[in-house]
Amino acid sequence: MLLAAGLGKRMRPLTDSKPKPLVEVAGKTLIDHVLDRLAFSDVETAVVNVHYFAEQMEAHLAGRRRPRILISDERSGLLDSGGGVRKALPLLGKAPFIVCNCDSFWIEGPQVNLDALKAAWDPGRMDILMLVAATASSIGFDGRGDYHLDSHGTLSRRRECETAPFAYAGVLLIKPELFAGTSEAFSLNRLFDEAEAKGRLFGKRLDGIWLHVGTPQAVAEAEERIALSTVD
């Protein structure tokens, strides 16, 4: 599931005439950076929700062959991250699935991150397994971090007045049954907190460099780091 329906307000003026997932970074749209990583890890089908400039999104995605694209239409109203996934559940099936944001991707390290995430999944212990990135080495992230990660892989959200060494890198594995009883529009953060309270929220550290591309300035920073990685 790719979350691609947002308005991209922080990316203006680049999103005045296009949706944020179609903003280009190093000659490729943000959504194609993510879809290419999914295809490389043998993900066969991707569900993409659309709302803002939905026709542009559909036209662009019509050219994709791998993975196969299914559209979840949110033209009638935004549902936030959790509500968007909930609406798409009939397209996603009954097995655990990957959810990706479309405003971030990464430069791979020695291991392929999506393969490592799938290999680390343990449904007996986990309800959600997040890819988390070290804030100190990330590009475009200016927050105080999201989570602490212990030696067992368990995540705990930072308290209001502290900082945390890891940020949610916009990719996770999740069980569909967590959406039972949820409202139409809600944030995935609700499910994150519920899983944490049960000791069933886990993290896998991203290997490589996370590129959080939420503003025009972050586009330039990401392109600069990608250029350096081709030289390294």
PDB file of all heavy atoms in Angstrom, residues 186-214:
ATOM      1  N   PHE A 186      -8.689   8.254  10.158  1.00  0.00           N
ATOM      2  CA  PHE A 186      -7.858   8.288  11.357  1.00  0.00           C
ATOM      3  C   PHE A 186      -6.400   8.104  10.945  1.00  0.00           C
ATOM      4  O   PHE A 186      -6.092   7.676   9.825  1.00  0.00           O
ATOM      5  CB  PHE A 186      -8.264   7.196  12.353  1.00  0.00           C
ATOM      6  CG  PHE A 186      -7.916   5.789  11.924  1.00  0.00           C
ATOM      7  CD1 PHE A 186      -6.793   5.154  12.428  1.00  0.00           C
ATOM      8  CD2 PHE A 186      -8.694   5.104  11.000  1.00  0.00           C
ATOM      9  CE1 PHE A 186      -6.452   3.871  12.040  1.00  0.00           C
ATOM     10  CE2 PHE A 186      -8.372   3.827  10.594  1.00  0.00           C
ATOM     11  CZ  PHE A 186      -7.253   3.207  11.117  1.00  0.00           C
ATOM     12  N   SER A 187      -5.496   8.434  11.855  1.00  0.00           N
ATOM     13  CA  SER A 187      -4.070   8.322  11.595  1.00  0.00           C
ATOM     14  C   SER A 187      -3.547   6.949  11.981  1.00  0.00           C
ATOM     15  O   SER A 187      -3.999   6.350  12.967  1.00  0.00           O
ATOM     16  CB  SER A 187      -3.307   9.386  12.393  1.00  0.00           C
ATOM     17  OG  SER A 187      -1.914   9.169  12.333  1.00  0.00           O
ATOM     18  N   LEU A 188      -2.570   6.459  11.218  1.00  0.00           N
ATOM     19  CA  LEU A 188      -1.908   5.209  11.584  1.00  0.00           C
ATOM     20  C   LEU A 188      -1.245   5.290  12.950  1.00  0.00           C
ATOM     21  O   LEU A 188      -0.998   4.256  13.581  1.00  0.00           O
ATOM     22  CB  LEU A 188      -0.862   4.839  10.527  1.00  0.00           C
ATOM     23  CG  LEU A 188      -1.366   4.187   9.245  1.00  0.00           C
ATOM     24  CD1 LEU A 188      -0.223   4.060   8.237  1.00  0.00           C
ATOM     25  CD2 LEU A 188      -1.988   2.818   9.514  1.00  0.00           C
ATOM     26  N   ASN A 189      -0.951   6.491  13.409  1.00  0.00           N
ATOM     27  CA  ASN A 189      -0.336   6.635  14.732  1.00  0.00           C
ATOM     28  C   ASN A 189      -1.172   5.978  15.823  1.00  0.00           C
ATOM     29  O   ASN A 189      -0.625   5.503  16.817  1.00  0.00           O
ATOM     30  CB  ASN A 189      -0.123   8.119  15.055  1.00  0.00           C
ATOM     31  CG  ASN A 189       1.143   8.664  14.441  1.00  0.00           C
ATOM     32  OD1 ASN A 189       2.245   8.251  14.791  1.00  0.00           O
ATOM     33  ND2 ASN A 189       0.985   9.574  13.500  1.00  0.00           N
ATOM     34  N   ARG A 190      -2.462   5.967  15.651  1.00  0.00           N
ATOM     35  CA  ARG A 190      -3.336   5.292  16.616  1.00  0.00           C
ATOM     36  C   ARG A 190      -2.982   3.816  16.733  1.00  0.00           C
ATOM     37  O   ARG A 190      -2.874   3.269  17.847  1.00  0.00           O
ATOM     38  CB  ARG A 190      -4.790   5.463  16.195  1.00  0.00           C
ATOM     39  CG  ARG A 190      -5.785   4.634  16.985  1.00  0.00           C
ATOM     40  CD  ARG A 190      -7.196   4.918  16.506  1.00  0.00           C
ATOM     41  NE  ARG A 190      -8.121   3.853  16.845  1.00  0.00           N
ATOM     42  CZ  ARG A 190      -9.379   3.803  16.428  1.00  0.00           C
ATOM     43  NH1 ARG A 190      -9.854   4.765  15.666  1.00  0.00           N
ATOM     44  NH2 ARG A 190     -10.161   2.803  16.771  1.00  0.00           N
ATOM     45  N   LEU A 191      -2.766   3.159  15.606  1.00  0.00           N
ATOM     46  CA  LEU A 191      -2.409   1.740  15.628  1.00  0.00           C
ATOM     47  C   LEU A 191      -0.985   1.534  16.136  1.00  0.00           C
ATOM     48  O   LEU A 191      -0.710   0.529  16.805  1.00  0.00           O
ATOM     49  CB  LEU A 191      -2.568   1.134  14.235  1.00  0.00           C
ATOM     50  CG  LEU A 191      -3.961   1.214  13.623  1.00  0.00           C
ATOM     51  CD1 LEU A 191      -4.012   0.452  12.303  1.00  0.00           C
ATOM     52  CD2 LEU A 191      -5.022   0.682  14.578  1.00  0.00           C
ATOM     53  N   PHE A 192      -0.105   2.481  15.839  1.00  0.00           N
ATOM     54  CA  PHE A 192       1.260   2.393  16.365  1.00  0.00           C
ATOM     55  C   PHE A 192       1.223   2.385  17.899  1.00  0.00           C
ATOM     56  O   PHE A 192       1.888   1.562  18.545  1.00  0.00           O
ATOM     57  CB  PHE A 192       2.107   3.581  15.904  1.00  0.00           C
ATOM     58  CG  PHE A 192       2.283   3.713  14.417  1.00  0.00           C
ATOM     59  CD1 PHE A 192       2.828   4.875  13.875  1.00  0.00           C
ATOM     60  CD2 PHE A 192       1.918   2.705  13.540  1.00  0.00           C
ATOM     61  CE1 PHE A 192       3.014   5.019  12.529  1.00  0.00           C
ATOM     62  CE2 PHE A 192       2.086   2.847  12.158  1.00  0.00           C
ATOM     63  CZ  PHE A 192       2.639   4.012  11.666  1.00  0.00           C
ATOM     64  N   ASP A 193       0.462   3.311  18.465  1.00  0.00           N
ATOM     65  CA  ASP A 193       0.415   3.437  19.921  1.00  0.00           C
ATOM     66  C   ASP A 193      -0.258   2.218  20.560  1.00  0.00           C
ATOM     67  O   ASP A 193       0.163   1.762  21.636  1.00  0.00           O
ATOM     68  CB  ASP A 193      -0.323   4.716  20.313  1.00  0.00           C
ATOM     69  CG  ASP A 193       0.450   5.984  19.959  1.00  0.00           C
ATOM     70  OD1 ASP A 193       1.664   5.873  19.674  1.00  0.00           O
ATOM     71  OD2 ASP A 193      -0.154   7.069  19.941  1.00  0.00           O
ATOM     72  N   GLU A 194      -1.286   1.684  19.921  1.00  0.00           N
ATOM     73  CA  GLU A 194      -1.956   0.496  20.458  1.00  0.00           C
ATOM     74  C   GLU A 194      -1.016  -0.706  20.441  1.00  0.00           C
ATOM     75  O   GLU A 194      -0.967  -1.488  21.401  1.00  0.00           O
ATOM     76  CB  GLU A 194      -3.222   0.210  19.653  1.00  0.00           C
ATOM     77  CG  GLU A 194      -4.328   1.224  19.878  1.00  0.00           C
ATOM     78  CD  GLU A 194      -5.529   1.006  18.973  1.00  0.00           C
ATOM     79  OE1 GLU A 194      -5.469   0.105  18.098  1.00  0.00           O
ATOM     80  OE2 GLU A 194      -6.533   1.735  19.128  1.00  0.00           O
ATOM     81  N   ALA A 195      -0.247  -0.860  19.353  1.00  0.00           N
ATOM     82  CA  ALA A 195       0.704  -1.970  19.275  1.00  0.00           C
ATOM     83  C   ALA A 195       1.816  -1.803  20.309  1.00  0.00           C
ATOM     84  O   ALA A 195       2.247  -2.774  20.952  1.00  0.00           O
ATOM     85  CB  ALA A 195       1.282  -2.063  17.869  1.00  0.00           C
ATOM     86  N   GLU A 196       2.281  -0.569  20.497  1.00  0.00           N
ATOM     87  CA  GLU A 196       3.324  -0.317  21.505  1.00  0.00           C
ATOM     88  C   GLU A 196       2.831  -0.678  22.894  1.00  0.00           C
ATOM     89  O   GLU A 196       3.568  -1.288  23.697  1.00  0.00           O
ATOM     90  CB  GLU A 196       3.755   1.150  21.454  1.00  0.00           C
ATOM     91  CG  GLU A 196       4.833   1.489  22.478  1.00  0.00           C
ATOM     92  CD  GLU A 196       5.129   2.970  22.564  1.00  0.00           C
ATOM     93  OE1 GLU A 196       4.688   3.740  21.697  1.00  0.00           O
ATOM     94  OE2 GLU A 196       5.815   3.363  23.542  1.00  0.00           O
ATOM     95  N   ALA A 197       1.595  -0.311  23.213  1.00  0.00           N
ATOM     96  CA  ALA A 197       1.041  -0.591  24.542  1.00  0.00           C
ATOM     97  C   ALA A 197       0.979  -2.092  24.823  1.00  0.00           C
ATOM     98  O   ALA A 197       1.067  -2.515  25.981  1.00  0.00           O
ATOM     99  CB  ALA A 197      -0.351   0.023  24.663  1.00  0.00           C
ATOM    100  N   LYS A 198       0.875  -2.898  23.778  1.00  0.00           N
ATOM    101  CA  LYS A 198       0.833  -4.358  23.928  1.00  0.00           C
ATOM    102  C   LYS A 198       2.216  -4.994  23.820  1.00  0.00           C
ATOM    103  O   LYS A 198       2.341  -6.219  23.892  1.00  0.00           O
ATOM    104  CB  LYS A 198      -0.081  -4.952  22.863  1.00  0.00           C
ATOM    105  CG  LYS A 198      -1.524  -4.508  22.964  1.00  0.00           C
ATOM    106  CD  LYS A 198      -2.330  -5.048  21.782  1.00  0.00           C
ATOM    107  CE  LYS A 198      -3.761  -4.563  21.815  1.00  0.00           C
ATOM    108  NZ  LYS A 198      -4.526  -5.020  20.621  1.00  0.00           N
ATOM    109  N   GLY A 199       3.252  -4.167  23.613  1.00  0.00           N
ATOM    110  CA  GLY A 199       4.592  -4.709  23.424  1.00  0.00           C
ATOM    111  C   GLY A 199       4.762  -5.407  22.090  1.00  0.00           C
ATOM    112  O   GLY A 199       5.630  -6.271  21.940  1.00  0.00           O
ATOM    113  N   ARG A 200       3.974  -4.989  21.076  1.00  0.00           N
ATOM    114  CA  ARG A 200       3.985  -5.662  19.788  1.00  0.00           C
ATOM    115  C   ARG A 200       4.348  -4.716  18.637  1.00  0.00           C
ATOM    116  O   ARG A 200       4.069  -4.996  17.475  1.00  0.00           O
ATOM    117  CB  ARG A 200       2.636  -6.330  19.534  1.00  0.00           C
ATOM    118  CG  ARG A 200       2.310  -7.424  20.574  1.00  0.00           C
ATOM    119  CD  ARG A 200       1.009  -8.135  20.268  1.00  0.00           C
ATOM    120  NE  ARG A 200       1.062  -8.856  19.008  1.00  0.00           N
ATOM    121  CZ  ARG A 200       1.562 -10.086  18.848  1.00  0.00           C
ATOM    122  NH1 ARG A 200       2.103 -10.729  19.890  1.00  0.00           N
ATOM    123  NH2 ARG A 200       1.538 -10.672  17.671  1.00  0.00           N
ATOM    124  N   LEU A 201       4.997  -3.602  18.967  1.00  0.00           N
ATOM    125  CA  LEU A 201       5.514  -2.664  17.969  1.00  0.00           C
ATOM    126  C   LEU A 201       7.027  -2.826  17.905  1.00  0.00           C
ATOM    127  O   LEU A 201       7.725  -2.589  18.891  1.00  0.00           O
ATOM    128  CB  LEU A 201       5.149  -1.228  18.337  1.00  0.00           C
ATOM    129  CG  LEU A 201       5.662  -0.143  17.390  1.00  0.00           C
ATOM    130  CD1 LEU A 201       4.980  -0.242  16.020  1.00  0.00           C
ATOM    131  CD2 LEU A 201       5.432   1.254  17.993  1.00  0.00           C
ATOM    132  N   PHE A 202       7.527  -3.234  16.744  1.00  0.00           N
ATOM    133  CA  PHE A 202       8.953  -3.519  16.591  1.00  0.00           C
ATOM    134  C   PHE A 202       9.543  -2.687  15.462  1.00  0.00           C
ATOM    135  O   PHE A 202       8.834  -2.182  14.590  1.00  0.00           O
ATOM    136  CB  PHE A 202       9.165  -5.010  16.306  1.00  0.00           C
ATOM    137  CG  PHE A 202       8.994  -5.889  17.518  1.00  0.00           C
ATOM    138  CD1 PHE A 202       7.729  -6.198  17.995  1.00  0.00           C
ATOM    139  CD2 PHE A 202      10.099  -6.387  18.197  1.00  0.00           C
ATOM    140  CE1 PHE A 202       7.556  -6.989  19.110  1.00  0.00           C
ATOM    141  CE2 PHE A 202       9.942  -7.187  19.318  1.00  0.00           C
ATOM    142  CZ  PHE A 202       8.676  -7.482  19.780  1.00  0.00           C
ATOM    143  N   GLY A 203      10.866  -2.567  15.506  1.00  0.00           N
ATOM    144  CA  GLY A 203      11.566  -1.798  14.488  1.00  0.00           C
ATOM    145  C   GLY A 203      12.730  -2.566  13.893  1.00  0.00           C
ATOM    146  O   GLY A 203      13.368  -3.375  14.566  1.00  0.00           O
ATOM    147  N   LYS A 204      13.008  -2.296  12.631  1.00  0.00           N
ATOM    148  CA  LYS A 204      14.181  -2.808  11.922  1.00  0.00           C
ATOM    149  C   LYS A 204      14.972  -1.605  11.437  1.00  0.00           C
ATOM    150  O   LYS A 204      14.445  -0.758  10.712  1.00  0.00           O
ATOM    151  CB  LYS A 204      13.746  -3.677  10.742  1.00  0.00           C
ATOM    152  CG  LYS A 204      14.881  -4.175   9.863  1.00  0.00           C
ATOM    153  CD  LYS A 204      15.769  -5.145  10.609  1.00  0.00           C
ATOM    154  CE  LYS A 204      16.860  -5.697   9.681  1.00  0.00           C
ATOM    155  NZ  LYS A 204      17.842  -6.515  10.432  1.00  0.00           N
ATOM    156  N   ARG A 205      16.237  -1.532  11.845  1.00  0.00           N
ATOM    157  CA  ARG A 205      17.047  -0.363  11.493  1.00  0.00           C
ATOM    158  C   ARG A 205      17.374  -0.359  10.005  1.00  0.00           C
ATOM    159  O   ARG A 205      17.834  -1.361   9.454  1.00  0.00           O
ATOM    160  CB  ARG A 205      18.328  -0.346  12.322  1.00  0.00           C
ATOM    161  CG  ARG A 205      19.210   0.863  12.043  1.00  0.00           C
ATOM    162  CD  ARG A 205      20.340   0.980  13.015  1.00  0.00           C
ATOM    163  NE  ARG A 205      21.153   2.157  12.744  1.00  0.00           N
ATOM    164  CZ  ARG A 205      22.055   2.666  13.568  1.00  0.00           C
ATOM    165  NH1 ARG A 205      22.278   2.066  14.743  1.00  0.00           N
ATOM    166  NH2 ARG A 205      22.740   3.741  13.253  1.00  0.00           N
ATOM    167  N   LEU A 206      17.137   0.785   9.364  1.00  0.00           N
ATOM    168  CA  LEU A 206      17.453   0.946   7.947  1.00  0.00           C
ATOM    169  C   LEU A 206      18.954   0.881   7.729  1.00  0.00           C
ATOM    170  O   LEU A 206      19.724   1.500   8.452  1.00  0.00           O
ATOM    171  CB  LEU A 206      16.889   2.282   7.448  1.00  0.00           C
ATOM    172  CG  LEU A 206      17.062   2.616   5.971  1.00  0.00           C
ATOM    173  CD1 LEU A 206      15.812   3.332   5.441  1.00  0.00           C
ATOM    174  CD2 LEU A 206      18.289   3.497   5.725  1.00  0.00           C
ATOM    175  N   ASP A 207      19.353   0.112   6.730  1.00  0.00           N
ATOM    176  CA  ASP A 207      20.764  -0.002   6.363  1.00  0.00           C
ATOM    177  C   ASP A 207      20.996   0.869   5.133  1.00  0.00           C
ATOM    178  O   ASP A 207      20.505   0.573   4.044  1.00  0.00           O
ATOM    179  CB  ASP A 207      21.099  -1.467   6.050  1.00  0.00           C
ATOM    180  CG  ASP A 207      22.582  -1.671   5.801  1.00  0.00           C
ATOM    181  OD1 ASP A 207      23.380  -0.790   6.171  1.00  0.00           O
ATOM    182  OD2 ASP A 207      22.945  -2.706   5.216  1.00  0.00           O
ATOM    183  N   GLY A 208      21.722   1.954   5.306  1.00  0.00           N
ATOM    184  CA  GLY A 208      21.935   2.904   4.216  1.00  0.00           C
ATOM    185  C   GLY A 208      21.605   4.305   4.682  1.00  0.00           C
ATOM    186  O   GLY A 208      21.743   4.633   5.867  1.00  0.00           O
ATOM    187  N   ILE A 209      21.129   5.136   3.765  1.00  0.00           N
ATOM    188  CA  ILE A 209      20.835   6.531   4.084  1.00  0.00           C
ATOM    189  C   ILE A 209      19.388   6.833   3.716  1.00  0.00           C
ATOM    190  O   ILE A 209      18.971   6.658   2.564  1.00  0.00           O
ATOM    191  CB  ILE A 209      21.781   7.483   3.326  1.00  0.00           C
ATOM    192  CG1 ILE A 209      23.229   7.217   3.762  1.00  0.00           C
ATOM    193  CG2 ILE A 209      21.400   8.936   3.585  1.00  0.00           C
ATOM    194  CD1 ILE A 209      24.255   8.035   3.057  1.00  0.00           C
ATOM    195  N   TRP A 210      18.634   7.258   4.716  1.00  0.00           N
ATOM    196  CA  TRP A 210      17.229   7.603   4.510  1.00  0.00           C
ATOM    197  C   TRP A 210      17.120   9.023   3.990  1.00  0.00           C
ATOM    198  O   TRP A 210      17.766   9.946   4.494  1.00  0.00           O
ATOM    199  CB  TRP A 210      16.482   7.475   5.843  1.00  0.00           C
ATOM    200  CG  TRP A 210      15.013   7.757   5.748  1.00  0.00           C
ATOM    201  CD1 TRP A 210      14.138   7.272   4.840  1.00  0.00           C
ATOM    202  CD2 TRP A 210      14.254   8.589   6.634  1.00  0.00           C
ATOM    203  NE1 TRP A 210      12.866   7.730   5.090  1.00  0.00           N
ATOM    204  CE2 TRP A 210      12.914   8.542   6.190  1.00  0.00           C
ATOM    205  CE3 TRP A 210      14.571   9.343   7.764  1.00  0.00           C
ATOM    206  CZ2 TRP A 210      11.888   9.243   6.836  1.00  0.00           C
ATOM    207  CZ3 TRP A 210      13.558  10.031   8.409  1.00  0.00           C
ATOM    208  CH2 TRP A 210      12.235   9.979   7.942  1.00  0.00           C
ATOM    209  N   LEU A 211      16.289   9.202   2.961  1.00  0.00           N
ATOM    210  CA  LEU A 211      16.059  10.504   2.344  1.00  0.00           C
ATOM    211  C   LEU A 211      14.599  10.899   2.579  1.00  0.00           C
ATOM    212  O   LEU A 211      13.688  10.343   1.960  1.00  0.00           O
ATOM    213  CB  LEU A 211      16.343  10.443   0.841  1.00  0.00           C
ATOM    214  CG  LEU A 211      17.716   9.884   0.437  1.00  0.00           C
ATOM    215  CD1 LEU A 211      17.791   9.690  -1.066  1.00  0.00           C
ATOM    216  CD2 LEU A 211      18.834  10.796   0.919  1.00  0.00           C
ATOM    217  N   HIS A 212      14.376  11.834   3.492  1.00  0.00           N
ATOM    218  CA  HIS A 212      13.031  12.319   3.770  1.00  0.00           C
ATOM    219  C   HIS A 212      12.815  13.572   2.928  1.00  0.00           C
ATOM    220  O   HIS A 212      13.457  14.599   3.145  1.00  0.00           O
ATOM    221  CB  HIS A 212      12.865  12.639   5.253  1.00  0.00           C
ATOM    222  CG  HIS A 212      11.500  13.123   5.614  1.00  0.00           C
ATOM    223  ND1 HIS A 212      11.215  14.437   5.870  1.00  0.00           N
ATOM    224  CD2 HIS A 212      10.324  12.451   5.739  1.00  0.00           C
ATOM    225  CE1 HIS A 212       9.930  14.568   6.147  1.00  0.00           C
ATOM    226  NE2 HIS A 212       9.372  13.380   6.078  1.00  0.00           N
ATOM    227  N   VAL A 213      11.896  13.499   1.956  1.00  0.00           N
ATOM    228  CA  VAL A 213      11.763  14.565   0.959  1.00  0.00           C
ATOM    229  C   VAL A 213      10.391  15.220   1.118  1.00  0.00           C
ATOM    230  O   VAL A 213       9.451  14.927   0.383  1.00  0.00           O
ATOM    231  CB  VAL A 213      11.955  14.017  -0.467  1.00  0.00           C
ATOM    232  CG1 VAL A 213      12.078  15.173  -1.468  1.00  0.00           C
ATOM    233  CG2 VAL A 213      13.199  13.135  -0.548  1.00  0.00           C
ATOM    234  N   GLY A 214      10.294  16.126   2.076  1.00  0.00           N
ATOM    235  CA  GLY A 214       9.016  16.748   2.373  1.00  0.00           C
ATOM    236  C   GLY A 214       8.904  18.204   1.982  1.00  0.00           C
ATOM    237  O   GLY A 214       7.820  18.780   2.050  1.00  0.00           O
TER     238      GLY A 214
END
